[in-house]
Amino acid sequence: MPLHVPPAPAPALRTVLTALGSPTAVREARTPALRTAQGPATPELPLPVHVLDRITPGGTATTRLTGWRFLIRCGDRAVAAAETMLTADGWAFSHFFEGPYIASTERALRQAETMKQTYQARLLSVPELYMLTLWLHGDITADGTEGHPAATDLLVPLAPAPPGIAAHRPHRVAELLPVLTHRVTPAPLLSSPA
């Protein structure tokens, strides 16, 4: 089934296009692959980036939109990504980057396209675990900038995943949230002897 990618806000895309057209922004980026890329660089596959703020005792995840991520393609492969963020003045370009999450995101998206059910693609970041997942939301008509993971949505951890969590293995939210809850809940402090 085809994967549904929600449209990015036009101002967010414009900021990325402006940054790509700026020799200064590209030259100062810490992305050697982007600086040395031959041919035109184009932003593709915009994905809303949500951050997992907390998991309630009832197993519900509270998330918030933090930006949009675009894969930057040169020729037949993605060489970098561009991140945008919402500011008081609207959408703004944040930065270019490269690393393992670029190829891992592409792999997870290809994997999701082979699934029987159609999903809306998003990214979900779990900062406390240094974890990024492809969030496959079951309601493809939903606004990609809002909402919370439903129990039946899928989370596909991107590589590198935290120890004990398999990268590129789809997990139902209802299965993975309890694992994440256990890992992000701080251990009780030991009391000192009286």
Side-chain angles (χ1 to χ4, degrees), residues 113-193:
E113 287 175 346
T114 66
M115 295 180 176
K116 293 180 182 175
Q117 182 177 340
T118 301
Y119 290 98
Q120 182 186 80
R122 305 171 177 192
L123 292 173
L124 181 65
S125 173
V126 185
E128 291 89 351
L129 298 177
Y130 301 100
M131 180 180 183
L132 184 64
T133 69
L134 177 63
W135 170 11
L136 299 173
H137 189 56
D139 181 2
I140 63 167
T141 63
D143 180 351
T145 64
E146 298 178 352
H148 305 289
T152 56
D153 287 353
L154 296 178
L155 297 176
V156 181
L158 301 181
I165 297 176
H168 296 286
R169 181 179 171 268
H171 300 269
R172 292 231 176 266
V173 167
E175 297 167 357
L176 190 57
L177 275 187
V179 173
L180 299 181
T181 303
H182 177 70
R183 290 191 174 203
V184 299
T185 303
L189 296 175
L190 297 174
S191 60
S192 57

Side-chain angles (χ1 to χ4, degrees), residues 32-91:
L34 185 59
R35 285 196 309 267
T36 60
Q38 299 295 317
T42 56
E44 295 183 353
L45 295 169
L47 296 173
V49 180
H50 296 259
V51 171
L52 182 67
D53 281 331
R54 66 184 173 89
I55 303 170
T56 66
T60 305
T62 303
T63 63
R64 63 185 161 83
L65 178 72
T66 59
W68 283 81
R69 181 171 295 174
F70 298 78
L71 292 180
I72 306 299
R73 185 166 300 283
C74 286
D76 64 346
R77 67 183 187 98
V79 296
E83 190 101 7
T84 64
M85 61 184 183
L86 189 58
T87 67
D89 295 325
W91 289 100

